[in-house]
Amino acid sequence: MKWWKTPQAAVAWTILRIWLGIQWIQGGWHKVVDGFDASGFMQGAIAKAAGENPAVQGWYAGFLENFALPNADLFSTLVAYGEVLVGIGLILGAATIPALIAGAFMNLNFLLAGTVSTNPILYTAAIILLFTGSGAYFWGVDRFAIPYVKNLIGKRGNEADNAAQNH
């Protein structure tokens, strides 16, 4: 077993994972409860694409202006609920890898929109946890849920194979 997947190392990954989950919950909860409109953020990012040293690349500003901004209600909902769901998944260690990927993807988009803030820290934490693989959820729901689901899928696959052979 690789050292970063040992139960001892997994304690550190669990602490990092739960901390990251709390950050996402704190970032998203008020957006869900109070409502969230991302259009102002998008307009600000588009404005950062101008000038001699733009903070936002032209292609990303084009995406925001032509796709995201016209669909601001959808993106606002996705961001608000996405942040909370990522947080819940990380705290519980449930759907950990998809939650880490979703969180890193949101951080990347916030960075591309010219917002530094805590995004590099949160992005880096997600990437580190992704590299630990199963070590990230050794102390979490996925430790039990993943083998259970794999077993279920395996049984159904065997049943389908047997049914095909009998015909």
Side-chain angles (χ1 to χ4, degrees):
M1 180 179 279
K2 297 177 175 133
W3 70 266
W4 58 87
K5 292 185 179 186
T6 64
Q8 297 81 6
V11 171
W13 307 138
T14 301
I15 292 167
L16 181 60
R17 188 192 77 225
I18 291 171
W19 172 84
L20 186 58
I22 291 168
Q23 303 312 301
W24 281 109
I25 293 276
Q26 288 175 337
W29 184 252
H30 74 88
K31 292 174 185 159
V32 170
V33 173
D34 300 333
F36 176 62
D37 180 5
S39 60
F41 174 80
M42 291 181 212
Q43 290 167 345
I46 293 165
K48 292 178 188 176
E52 200 171 309
N53 297 307
V56 176
Q57 296 294 304
W59 67 269
Y60 194 77
F63 161 74
L64 291 173
E65 190 170 20
N66 298 310
F67 185 73
L69 195 55
N71 297 294
D73 288 344
L74 172 65
F75 278 86
S76 298
T77 301
L78 289 173
V79 167
Y81 284 92
E83 289 182 1
V84 170
L85 289 172
V86 164
I88 292 169
L90 293 177
I91 289 168
L92 297 176
T96 306
I97 300 301
L100 287 167
I101 291 169
F105 183 71
M106 283 192 286
N107 285 131
L108 178 61
N109 277 277
F110 300 152
L111 286 164
L112 289 170
T115 302
V116 178
S117 183
T118 59
N119 289 301
I121 296 164
L122 301 181
Y123 182 80
T124 302
I127 296 301
I128 289 169
L129 288 169
L130 282 168
F131 275 109
T132 68
S134 61
Y137 56 78
F138 185 86
W139 300 110
V141 172
D142 285 344
R143 178 178 174 190
F144 306 100
I146 290 173
Y148 176 78
V149 170
K150 283 182 178 179
N151 186 39
L152 252 158
I153 291 170
K155 284 182 182 176
R156 291 205 174 126
N158 289 338
E159 289 171 5
D161 289 346
N162 291 338
Q165 287 176 355
N166 292 332
H167 283 83

